[in-house]
Amino acid sequence: MKRNGTAIWKGNLKEGKGTISTQSGVLDKTQYSFKTRFEDGKGTNPEELIGAAHSGCFTMQLSANLTEEGFEPDELETKSEITFEDGAVKKSHLILKAKVKNIEKVQFEKIANDAKENCPISKLLDTEITLESELIQ
């Protein structure tokens, strides 16, 4: 399987702007710029997209892990906070709220930590990855 994304940039770093598109068309010439990355401009930025990719990948991996262990999640909600400092992504902090019936917290945390370590995006990221979880039953 291969997937792709495309970026087009015009101009210099501070005044220039660009667009990002995805193969699926979910993002189609979505704006990004210096302001959307380092200030509060309208549009997206690479770090926010990494956060979305990481939270999505982790959540799917967790669902697979739970199912494999005989648990069916009612709802899994994950936020990924990406820390960008000194020109590098330094950390992805996963914040998970999970509704899963009939599972002990210790077992749940073990399964969630395995998902954190083994989802494909976690394996791709060369950074610190942390997990904060809340089990709601």
Side-chain angles (χ1 to χ4, degrees), residues 1-132:
M1 174 176 62
K2 290 184 181 180
R3 300 284 186 247
N4 69 69
T6 304
I8 299 172
W9 187 265
K10 296 180 181 178
N12 66 37
L13 176 62
K14 289 211 172 182
E15 288 87 33
K17 61 184 177 179
T19 60
I20 296 175
S21 300
T22 57
Q23 178 180 344
S24 67
V26 169
L27 297 178
D28 184 21
K29 298 179 183 164
T30 301
Q31 176 184 316
Y32 79 115
S33 66
F34 183 88
K35 287 184 179 186
T36 66
R37 191 169 193 184
F38 300 107
E39 298 171 8
D40 287 326
K42 183 172 172 71
T44 191
N45 61 71
E47 291 73 33
E48 150 179 287
L49 296 172
I50 291 167
H54 197 200
S55 62
C57 182
F58 163 78
T59 306
M60 288 180 77
Q61 184 70 55
L62 178 55
S63 176
N65 288 4
L66 287 165
T67 301
E68 188 174 287
E69 294 293 324
F71 301 99
E72 182 157 340
D74 292 324
E75 183 174 285
L76 304 172
E77 177 185 325
T78 308
K79 176 181 180 180
S80 171
E81 293 177 340
I82 299 296
T83 301
F84 183 76
E85 292 176 350
D86 302 323
V89 172
K90 299 287 185 174
K91 182 177 183 178
S92 178
H93 179 60
L94 299 167
I95 302 166
L96 169 65
K97 292 182 182 177
K99 293 179 185 173
V100 183
K101 293 179 188 142
N102 303 318
I103 190 170
E104 296 295 321
K105 186 164 179 59
V106 172
Q107 185 177 20
F108 172 76
E109 288 176 354
K110 181 181 175 193
I111 294 169
N113 276 306
D114 181 78
K116 175 188 73 126
E117 296 298 323
N118 291 300
C119 88
I121 299 299
S122 288
K123 290 178 179 181
L124 173 71
L125 294 175
D126 183 20
T127 194
E128 178 185 2
I129 300 171
T130 57
L131 173 63
E132 172 185 336

